[in-house]
Structures are given as C-alpha cells and as structure tokens.
Amino acid sequence: MLTSACQTSLPTPKDVKEPVKQEATASDEKISKQVNYIKSSLKLGMTQEEVTSLFGDRFIDVEDNGDLENGGDIFWLYRFFKQNDYKSAFPDYVVDKEGLKERKVGADLFIAWKSKKVHLYSVSYVQGSDNQVHQYVVKPDGTIEDGPLS
C-alpha cells in the first residue's frame, strides 16, 4: 500500500505529446488538401461567379501598380489559413515567402482575370520539412510550372 502511494509514474514515449509537430502535420495536411482542391477545381476561363462559388468572396483586390506583365486586367488574392493578426510587409502582388515559411499564411492563390474570366493563376505554399516556398502556376496557354521558388 505504501509502495503505490509513493510510486510516481513517468510518461512513456507514446504518452508524450509533441504539439508543435502535431500542429505542423495537421497544418501541412490542411494546406495540402487546399492546394489539391485548387489544382483540381480551378480552371482557365472560369467566371468570377464560378470562382467565388469555389472559394468565397473573401479575396483581396490586388493593385498591380503596372508591375505585372501577364495580360490580366483584374487581380485577386486569396489567403488561406492566414493568422488573424498577420499583415504582410510586402505588396499583395509579391509572393510573401516569409509569411508562408513562418506559417503565418498557409497558401496564397493569385488569380489574374481578363474579361472577367480566369486568365492565369498561381498557388504559393510551403509543404513538409524543407520549408521551401513552392509555386504551382497555370499560364494563359494552359502550360503548368510547378516547383520551388528561388
């Protein structure tokens, strides 16, 4: 009886929780699902109504300041899994590599519109432990670029 009262139970490795790793894994899973949803759902030529039915109407109207030479006339940015208090130090037309790497933003979807139809789009995100920003781009001619940003 005395032994059980004095005995302390140390946690075994399977009992120890590692919240940081679990959150990062869950976050990676959510980001991966969102990126895959975008890749499979968003198509060139879709209307603004079709896109808002997929992703909602919480986008940022991007001022391009004449810096974008992609043929678009209107630009939208969707920020997925953004921390509520996070504000990027970069203009909305620039990929926020730091915000993505620090997981303050899970994924950015940039859409260029021409005549109110999707003209091109890019998705920027960090996946896995390499902590590199990856970008998936669908160009106006339908070609795809997919890989890490330099």
Side-chain angles (χ1 to χ4, degrees):
M1 195 157 111
L2 187 59
T3 306
S4 64
C6 293
Q7 186 176 10
T8 59
S9 174
L10 295 175
T12 62
K14 69 177 185 170
D15 296 328
V16 176
K17 304 277 188 239
E18 296 181 43
V20 173
K21 287 185 181 177
Q22 288 178 350
E23 289 172 11
T25 301
S27 182
D28 280 351
E29 289 172 17
K30 286 180 182 179
I31 293 166
S32 181
K33 283 181 183 179
Q34 185 65 48
V35 169
N36 287 333
Y37 178 71
I38 293 166
K39 288 178 180 180
S40 66
S41 303
L42 189 57
K43 307 292 180 214
L44 296 179
M46 290 180 99
T47 66
Q48 292 178 342
E49 294 78 20
E50 290 171 319
V51 171
T52 56
S53 73
L54 290 174
F55 307 117
D57 59 4
R58 297 189 62 159
F59 56 85
I60 299 167
D61 278 310
V62 176
E63 263 312 310
D64 74 351
N65 293 327
D67 291 337
L68 298 174
E69 298 176 6
N70 55 34
D73 48 32
I74 298 172
F75 308 95
W76 288 3
L77 175 65
Y78 282 94
R79 287 221 154 106
F80 299 99
F81 312 113
K82 183 181 108 23
Q83 291 179 359
N84 289 335
D85 60 345
Y86 178 67
K87 174 72 175 133
S88 175
F90 300 97
D92 293 327
Y93 59 87
V94 175
V95 175
D96 181 8
K97 292 180 187 178
E98 293 309 309
L100 291 164
K101 286 180 180 181
E102 294 172 7
R103 306 297 176 111
K104 293 181 178 182
V105 177
D108 276 349
L109 169 60
F110 179 84
I111 302 173
W113 300 94
K114 189 168 191 166
S115 304
K116 296 188 178 185
K117 294 192 176 182
V118 175
H119 182 62
L120 70 80
Y121 69 91
S122 66
V123 185
S124 303
Y125 59 97
V126 171
Q127 194 66 58
S129 61
D130 70 356
N131 211 37
Q132 283 190 318
V133 176
H134 294 263
Q135 190 171 59
Y136 176 87
V137 180
V138 178
K139 296 180 176 185
D141 63 2
T143 58
I144 295 172
E145 289 183 4
D146 191 7
L149 284 177
S150 53

